[in-house]
Every structure is written in structure tokens, then in C-alpha cells.
Amino acid sequence: HGRSFTHAVNSVLMKNDDAAGGTIPQLLEKHEFHGSTDGLILMRLARKMMGESFDKEDAASKLDLMMDTMYQFVSKCNDDEVRKGIAPLPGAIQTLETLASYDDVAFGLVTGNVEGIARRKMHALGIYDAGAL
């Protein structure tokens, strides 16, 4: 997931699929990405990677395309690649299973991720296999 950000910025805004990237922690300060949505991280990353040539309006107008590009990148990764460096919070799967056992409870998950990537990550982590969603 992390590599999909630099791939999207390179591909969509810089028009260079082969450009060197880096990981989010290499390019942004922790407070610039921790707890942020994917869209906000993309914008901050684009500003950092493009420097003086960053055009906020142009980047914002291409945000959906960057998110689609991220999803295409992640969808080509196998489960091991997707779950590298991530794990469900302790007790999360058990809590989802408990909620799912009630007929009168509806619930959802808010991740801050591009929806397709969130679903891909939940599949790779076995959250879907737990039968809770």
C-alpha cells in the first residue's frame, strides 16, 4: 500500500512510471501521514516530491485518478505484499465477530483508505475470512 502512493504521484502528476520513489516515512514526517486519509497523504506527498512544480489545483483535480492508480497497483500485489507491515488491532477481529452475531446491529469500518485498498487489506489480513463482514 505504501509504495502505491509514490507510484500514483509519479504516474499521474510527474508522468514518469520509472521515477525513483521512496516510502512514506522516508519522504514525509510522521505527523504528515499518521492518522491521515489516503487523499491527504497523496496531496502532501505530491507537494514534497514535486517541490516548486507542485500545482495544488492540478493535483486536486487528479486526486481520483491517483487513487485509482493506487488501487490498480495494490490489486496486483499478493497477500504477503499487502499485509507487510500491517496487522489488525488486538481484539478487532473478535469484536467484529461479536457484532456480526447480533441480528439487530449494523456496523461498518472507517479506514481512511481508498475503498478498494481497504477491502484488499482486509482480505489479506483475514478479516473477511473471519465471517464478520
Side-chain angles (χ1 to χ4, degrees):
H1 174 234
R3 293 179 296 140
S4 70
F5 287 94
T6 52
H7 172 75
V9 172
N10 283 332
S11 299
V12 175
L13 297 179
M14 300 174 81
K15 310 283 193 249
N16 185 358
D17 289 333
D18 299 323
T23 63
I24 300 297
Q26 291 170 330
L27 297 167
L28 296 175
E29 300 291 325
K30 187 174 184 176
H31 71 274
E32 294 177 299
F33 65 90
H34 189 70
S36 296
T37 64
D38 283 356
L40 188 54
I41 295 169
L42 273 169
M43 293 297 286
R44 289 175 176 161
L45 185 63
R47 182 181 308 117
K48 179 72 82 171
M49 290 174 68
M50 298 179 74
E52 298 280 327
S53 66
F54 177 72
D55 180 328
K56 183 178 179 180
E57 287 76 27
D58 181 56
S61 74
K62 295 177 180 169
L63 194 56
D64 286 342
L65 179 57
M66 286 192 285
M67 289 181 179
D68 288 343
T69 302
M70 287 176 62
Y71 173 72
Q72 294 303 320
F73 183 92
V74 172
S75 69
K76 294 175 185 171
C77 296
N78 65 40
D79 284 352
D80 288 337
E81 291 173 307
V82 172
R83 71 175 156 254
K84 184 177 180 183
I86 62 173
L89 293 172
I93 292 176
Q94 295 80 7
T95 300
L96 293 171
E97 290 170 339
T98 299
L99 290 170
S101 72
Y102 294 101
D103 293 332
D104 58 345
V105 173
F107 62 95
L109 295 177
V110 177
T111 67
N113 292 143
V114 171
E115 182 181 351
I117 293 173
R119 291 181 185 282
R120 181 71 185 89
K121 288 165 75 173
M122 287 187 285
H123 173 76
L125 291 170
I127 293 173
Y128 279 132
D129 297 336
L133 299 176

